[in-house]
Amino acid sequence: MMDRYSRQTLFAPIGVEGQRQISDKHVLLIGAGALGTGNAEALVRAGVGKLTIIDRDYVEWSNLQRQQLYSEEDAKQKLPKAIAAKNRLQEINVEVELVALVADVTAESLEQRIKAEKVDLMLDATDNFDIRMIMNDVAQKYEIPWVYGACVGSYGLTFTILPGVTPCLHCLLKKVPLGGATCDTVGIIAPAVGMVVSHQVAEALKILSGNMEDCRTKLVSFDLWKNQYVALEVQKLKDLNCPSCGIQRTYPNISFKNQTKTAVLCGRDSVQIRPSSDGERNLTELKTILENQGLPVENNPYLLSFEIKDHRIVAFKDGRVLVHGTKNINEAKSLYYRYFG
Ligand SMILES: [Zn+2]
């Protein structure tokens, strides 16, 4: 155990003191897909003090090609990603405090979490732009650094946002192409993920070990298939009138209650429905009700699922329901009300 971090402490910019600082820090990781699992594994191996992982999804077979913490068994069991990741990570390093949350990130929930406990760094590993904008406002309001990361196909993009120092994501929005295609429409190759993860983790180690001055100030974008790598100087894009980081801030992405109850998920032919009232769902009771209707229900402690005709329906303990096999919100809602209304 003593030698565990020896190669990292031998690295002069980190050293023994940097390692001590890393072991004292709390990182909030949003998303446990390809970028999330890569970031999580590297930070846990590096000996971060505490890692909180938030993810709303469960492991599927199509994830295994690039989401490095998951196994076939996780996919068979449809384990929530946050839980499967935590299980694997704890095997890798028992010293790290791990918290797994199977939940959606909303403006309210993220702000509550940040208020409730000290968070030293946020890592973006979501594929959802709305959630990134929420992270961006929360980061500015509570002065928490965060590292933006995105990838699709063989292309990747990453930027480190230091409140009060660099432009924020909102400043860059209209001036820099931040991507639009989603993961499932054009596919993705694992090395593109690894490249973004490497940039994010290197920045995380600088921030966590107290080497903020070494942080990258440029926005990096690359395409591993087309052999392109660009580091774009964006400091002059910091906008004094920015609603998220400017002089008169309104934090537009967290200042009103997010009313959205349904969302079509990232090119996945799926709709998520989030009930208006918060509260846990009793999965045992629900299973009995559904089985009494003759439905073949599969379940684990975190979710239950069943198939009807062309749809697979998954109900989570936190109340959310995923309807697979449609992008039509009305169709998904009618199924939701039929079985859960
Ligand atoms: Zn800004």
Side-chain angles (χ1 to χ4, degrees):
M1 295 288 260
M2 295 296 285
D3 283 344
R4 174 164 211 143
Y5 306 113
S6 63
R7 300 304 185 276
Q8 199 163 279
T9 50
L10 275 171
F11 179 67
I14 292 180
V16 175
E17 172 54 20
Q19 186 63 42
R20 192 198 58 75
Q21 290 200 38
I22 291 169
S23 72
D24 198 35
K25 299 288 168 63
H26 177 200
V27 176
L28 181 60
L29 176 64
I30 313 251
L35 290 175
T37 51
N39 273 289
E41 181 169 349
L43 288 176
V44 162
R45 287 189 189 276
V48 68
K50 179 176 177 180
L51 180 68
T52 298
I53 304 168
I54 310 180
D55 192 282
R56 64 184 178 188
D57 222 333
Y58 60 92
V59 181
E60 294 181 277
W61 286 90
S62 65
N63 303 147
L64 301 181
Q65 163 250 4
R66 69 199 176 285
Q67 303 189 11
Q68 67 189 59
L69 291 173
Y70 305 134
S71 67
E72 293 187 354
E73 194 53 38
D74 297 330
K76 275 182 206 154
Q77 289 186 28
K78 296 188 178 67
L79 267 191
K81 289 182 178 180
I83 303 294
K86 182 186 172 187
N87 292 345
R88 175 79 183 110
L89 292 165
Q90 205 75 83
E91 286 173 357
I92 292 171
N93 191 341
V94 74
E95 294 173 357
V96 176
E97 183 183 350
L98 292 164
V99 177
L101 301 167
V102 185
D104 237 352
V105 171
T106 62
E108 296 82 30
S109 69
L110 188 60
E111 208 172 351
Q112 268 171 18
R113 186 147 296 281
I114 298 280
K115 280 182 187 164
E117 59 183 334
K118 178 181 76 92
V119 171
D120 299 290
L121 171 68
M122 291 193 290
L123 288 175
D124 164 32
T126 177
D127 53 17
N128 182 305
F129 214 81
D130 295 335
I131 294 176
R132 287 193 183 111
M133 295 311 288
I134 291 171
M135 289 177 75
N136 189 59
D137 275 4
V138 167
Q140 293 298 329
K141 187 170 175 184
Y142 297 94
E143 301 191 326
I144 301 166
W146 71 289
V147 189
Y148 162 67
C151 57
V152 60
S154 53
Y155 172 81
L157 193 64
T158 173
F159 183 58
T160 306
I161 296 167
L162 304 177
V165 180
T166 67
C168 78
L169 198 61
H170 203 285
C171 294
L172 302 183
L173 266 186
K174 287 174 194 145
K175 291 133 186 166
V176 180
L178 295 172
T182 63
C183 45
D184 295 77
T185 50
V186 295
I188 185 162
I189 54 170
V193 176
M195 184 94 160
V196 174
V197 167
S198 292
H199 282 77
Q200 287 185 296
V201 175
E203 293 295 288
L205 290 176
K206 293 173 196 174
I207 292 166
L208 299 174
S209 65
N211 290 288
M212 304 283 273
E213 67 283 2
D214 291 330
C215 282
R216 174 164 42 77
T217 57
K218 292 179 177 173
L219 182 139
V220 164
S221 81
F222 63 83
D223 190 317
L224 290 174
W225 211 265
K226 294 180 185 158
N227 310 310
Q228 295 164 345
Y229 186 96
V230 181
L232 203 64
E233 181 55 71
V234 291
Q235 192 59 34
K236 62 179 183 301
L237 298 180
K238 188 164 175 57
D239 179 4
L240 291 177
N241 297 314
C242 173
S244 297
C245 74
I247 296 164
Q248 289 191 317
R249 305 169 181 203
T250 55
Y251 305 119
N253 300 289
I254 56 171
S255 59
F256 56 90
K257 207 165 169 58
N258 188 351
Q259 296 295 325
T260 313
K261 302 292 192 299
T262 52
V264 179
L265 298 185
C266 178
R268 281 185 46 194
D269 212 18
S270 304
V271 174
Q272 171 177 276
I273 296 166
R274 190 169 63 215
S276 46
S277 57
D278 288 340
E280 289 216 336
R281 191 191 293 285
N282 184 331
L283 291 180
T284 318
E285 208 175 276
L286 181 61
K287 184 170 192 260
T288 312
I289 294 169
L290 293 168
E291 281 177 342
N292 287 342
Q293 298 174 45
L295 294 162
V297 180
E298 286 177 53
N299 69 306
N300 64 37
Y302 314 98
L303 58 85
L304 62 76
S305 70
F306 58 94
E307 282 184 34
I308 40 148
K309 289 185 200 156
D310 304 328
H311 303 288
R312 185 151 53 85
I313 299 181
V314 182
F316 289 85
K317 210 169 155 185
D318 70 358
R320 287 176 303 119
V321 168
L322 282 183
V323 180
H324 296 294
T326 183
K327 284 185 175 120
N328 182 324
I329 287 180
N330 290 331
E331 186 185 13
K333 273 187 176 167
S334 79
L335 287 165
Y336 175 84
Y337 287 120
R338 187 186 314 165
Y339 296 106
F340 310 101

